[in-house]
Structure formats: C-alpha cells, structure tokens
Amino acid sequence: MVEITRERIKEQFPTVALTLLSIVQATALELLWGHISESPHLYEYSLVALTGWLQCIATFFGLVLIWVVYAGNLMRFRWLPTTSDSVYPFVLGVGEFWLVEVLEPAFMGWWYVALALVIGLTTYVSQVSMRQARRDDDNREFFDRVPPAKLRDFIPRVGLVAMLIGIGIVFLLNPELALAKLICCIGVALFLIWQFYSATRFWHAAVTGENV
C-alpha cells in the first residue's frame, strides 16, 4: 500500500507543481504588463526609458527562465516530493513579484537586489530537486553520466549573487549613475541569454543521452 501511494505521489506531483507554478507565473506576467502599460517614463526618448525597457526585457526573460528550469526538472526526472517541494513555487513567486514591483527608475538598486534573490532561490530550488532526483532509481540513466555538484561548482553563482547585491547597493547610494545602469542592464540580459543556452544543453542531454 505504501509503495502504491509513493508511486501515485510521484506520478501526480509534476502536474500539481506545474499547475501551481503556471498560476504564479501568469500573475507575475500580468504585473509586468501592468507596469509597462502604466509607466509613462517608458514612452519617453531618454536614457532612463531605454534602461527601463532593458529592465522589463530582462525581467521577462528571468520569469520565463524560472519556468524553463523548474518545469524542465519536473518533466525530465521523477522523485518522491517533500512538503517543501509544494512550497517552492510560492517562494519563487514572492521573489518574482518583488522583482516586478521595483521596476521603477527610483528603485533600480532594489531591482538588482531582488534579481539576486530570485537567482539565488532558483539555484537553490533547482539543486534540491536535482539532489532528490539523483536518489531515485528512475533517473539513474541520466545521473550515471553526470557527476554530483560539489561546493566549488556553486562559487560562480554565489559570486554572481554577491555582485548583483553589490551593484544594487552602489545604485542605492548613487542613483544618478544613468549610464552605468544601462550597461549593467545589458550585462544582465546577456547573462540570462547564456542561462537559456545552458538550460537547453541540459535538456538536450536528458532527451538524447549525450553528455552535458
């Protein structure tokens, strides 16, 4: 009976989690659209407007990337979820809502702090999911080819989060750095494009059997 329950939970969890995450994502996208339609500064010919649009574009890619990473794990692997697995979409949603809420020129510093939080949360949730999936025999074919992540593998991501927080603090203390804000937004957009590429590689490895 216990084994039947475990299998039922493993089968139903992806559908439940994806449904919940899709609701959170839809709400975040609605908030983003509301910001775009209700922000007059985005429709001016200025450096502030260009930076604002780059922020919106980066935020959009960030929201979609969360979906790609989380949904990709749920579709590729099977594992017995814990209560925390049902809570993670809500936690990610709070980070996403804050990221959209501070999409104002006056809150540029806080936007970078929120972005750092979202990246940190996504990394943590993804790693926890992968660790649980590795323990399940259903995923052995993939994980036999992929070594477990070590602490040093997270140093670049920790450095990125720290850097984004540092940038946010600089902009909070020096809100007049318009050109620097534009350059940093371009850097964020390029980073998110690279993240899409990395997610594509992992997906390809999972469905083709090739090494990552």
Side-chain angles (χ1 to χ4, degrees), residues 38-98:
E38 298 172 4
S39 300
H41 72 275
L42 293 176
Y43 302 95
E44 302 172 353
Y45 292 100
S46 65
L47 192 61
V48 172
L50 179 58
T51 303
W53 278 110
L54 283 171
Q55 269 189 288
C56 292
I57 292 171
T59 300
F60 173 77
F61 279 124
L63 297 179
V64 175
L65 186 60
I66 289 174
W67 171 265
V68 169
V69 172
Y70 195 78
N73 285 347
L74 288 171
M75 289 187 289
R76 288 182 298 171
F77 308 118
R78 297 177 75 244
W79 69 86
L80 186 66
T82 63
T83 304
S84 299
D85 288 300
S86 300
V87 176
Y88 290 145
F90 292 102
V91 176
L92 291 171
V94 171
E96 292 175 351
F97 299 158
W98 186 30

Side-chain angles (χ1 to χ4, degrees), residues 22-41:
S22 66
I23 295 173
V24 172
Q25 295 295 94
T27 304
L29 288 173
E30 183 179 2
L31 292 174
L32 178 59
W33 179 255
H35 167 78
I36 292 174
S37 61
E38 298 172 4
S39 300
H41 72 275

Side-chain angles (χ1 to χ4, degrees), residues 7-208:
E7 286 300 315
R8 184 183 300 123
I9 292 173
K10 288 168 66 174
E11 288 293 337
Q12 295 180 355
F13 172 68
T15 302
V16 173
L18 288 175
T19 301
L20 176 57
L21 183 62
S22 66
I23 295 173
V24 172
Q25 295 295 94
T27 304
L29 288 173
E30 183 179 2
L31 292 174
L32 178 59
W33 179 255
H35 167 78
I36 292 174
S37 61
E38 298 172 4
S39 300
H41 72 275
L42 293 176
Y43 302 95
E44 302 172 353
Y45 292 100
S46 65
L47 192 61
V48 172
L50 179 58
T51 303
W53 278 110
L54 283 171
Q55 269 189 288
C56 292
I57 292 171
T59 300
F60 173 77
F61 279 124
L63 297 179
V64 175
L65 186 60
I66 289 174
W67 171 265
V68 169
V69 172
Y70 195 78
N73 285 347
L74 288 171
M75 289 187 289
R76 288 182 298 171
F77 308 118
R78 297 177 75 244
W79 69 86
L80 186 66
T82 63
T83 304
S84 299
D85 288 300
S86 300
V87 176
Y88 290 145
F90 292 102
V91 176
L92 291 171
V94 171
E96 292 175 351
F97 299 158
W98 186 30
L99 186 64
V100 176
E101 185 67 24
V102 292
L103 271 175
E104 292 287 342
F107 300 138
M108 177 71 79
W110 287 116
W111 183 77
Y112 279 95
V113 174
L115 182 62
L117 173 66
V118 169
I119 290 176
L121 286 173
T122 304
T123 302
Y124 173 78
V125 171
S126 177
Q127 176 57 24
V128 170
S129 300
M130 294 288 279
R131 189 163 59 239
Q132 290 175 291
R134 182 178 289 276
R135 291 197 293 263
D136 197 299
D137 289 340
D138 290 341
N139 312 305
R140 179 175 297 175
E141 182 181 356
F142 176 82
F143 287 105
D144 281 348
R145 297 180 287 106
V146 180
K150 297 180 173 57
L151 185 60
R152 65 173 180 270
D153 296 325
F154 297 99
I155 292 177
R157 192 54 58 93
V158 172
L160 173 66
V161 170
M163 182 181 68
L164 290 173
I165 293 175
I167 292 174
I169 293 174
V170 169
F171 289 153
L172 286 172
L173 298 177
N174 303 277
E176 72 283 353
L177 301 176
L179 183 58
K181 292 177 181 180
L182 176 62
I183 294 173
C184 288
C185 281
I186 293 174
V188 168
L190 292 175
F191 167 76
L192 292 174
I193 291 174
W194 178 76
Q195 286 293 289
F196 269 110
Y197 171 72
S198 297
T200 301
R201 287 178 59 238
F202 275 103
W203 177 270
H204 181 74
V207 299
T208 64

